[in-house]
Amino acid sequence: MSDAVRVLVVEDEALIASFVEDALSDGGFEACSVHSGEAALSTFCDGREGCRVLLTDINLGGGISGWELAQQIREISPGFPVVYMTSASAPEWKSRGVDGSVLIQKPFAPAQLAAAVSQLLDTGASPA
């Protein structure tokens, strides 16, 4: 599976993170999971994981939100593919989400998650 696209998953709830990891794996992707925006930013900036897509929850408890995380990553790597997951913040997506991002609303089926990531990669968003 070393040729699979790596997805940086940011989800602070362990059960949801596990569900997302399984859904990505079933869709042919490889998940690199962290549990906070700060850890995600560190992982992204470090670059060792080689992640090509950000899949982030919006409300991450304390610290930076998924909105802020995506904006900071886009400052470093314009056009980096971003998928937001949320159960409550969908109405804010048009005003707070980064350009060209995708939002999927919780709860979602595993196939929806893999399809959202695939859709972003197929639209020509440039990876880092």
Side-chain angles (χ1 to χ4, degrees), residues 64-127:
I64 66 175
S65 70
W67 302 127
E68 296 162 326
L69 172 63
Q71 289 168 348
Q72 290 181 33
I73 285 178
R74 282 285 185 87
E75 287 173 13
I76 297 164
S77 181
F80 195 83
V82 174
V83 178
Y84 296 104
M85 305 177 285
T86 187
S87 56
S89 299
E92 299 174 61
W93 177 45
K94 288 195 188 279
S95 64
R96 301 199 61 194
V98 295
D99 288 342
S101 61
V102 171
L103 181 133
I104 56 174
Q105 205 154 355
K106 296 176 184 173
F108 47 80
Q112 288 176 284
L113 187 60
V117 173
S118 293
Q119 172 193 343
L120 255 180
L121 291 171
D122 291 343
T123 59
S126 56

Side-chain angles (χ1 to χ4, degrees), residues 5-11 20 24 30 32-34 36-37 39-41 43-44 50-58 60 64-74 77 79-85 98 100-104 113 116-117 120-121 125-128:
V5 171
R6 296 204 58 161
V7 179
L8 179 55
V9 176
V10 191
E11 173 57 66
V20 167
L24 288 171
E30 187 176 338
C32 171
S33 294
V34 295
S36 73
L41 195 55
T43 298
F44 178 81
C51 295
R52 293 187 42 216
V53 179
L54 172 66
L55 174 61
T56 184
D57 189 17
I58 292 170
L60 296 168
I64 66 175
S65 70
W67 302 127
E68 296 162 326
L69 172 63
Q71 289 168 348
Q72 290 181 33
I73 285 178
R74 282 285 185 87
S77 181
F80 195 83
V82 174
V83 178
Y84 296 104
M85 305 177 285
V98 295
S101 61
V102 171
L103 181 133
I104 56 174
L113 187 60
V117 173
L120 255 180
L121 291 171
S126 56

Side-chain angles (χ1 to χ4, degrees), residues 1 19-30 110-111 114:
M1 191 181 242
F19 170 83
V20 167
E21 290 167 12
D22 290 345
L24 288 171
S25 179
D26 290 348
F29 298 99
E30 187 176 338

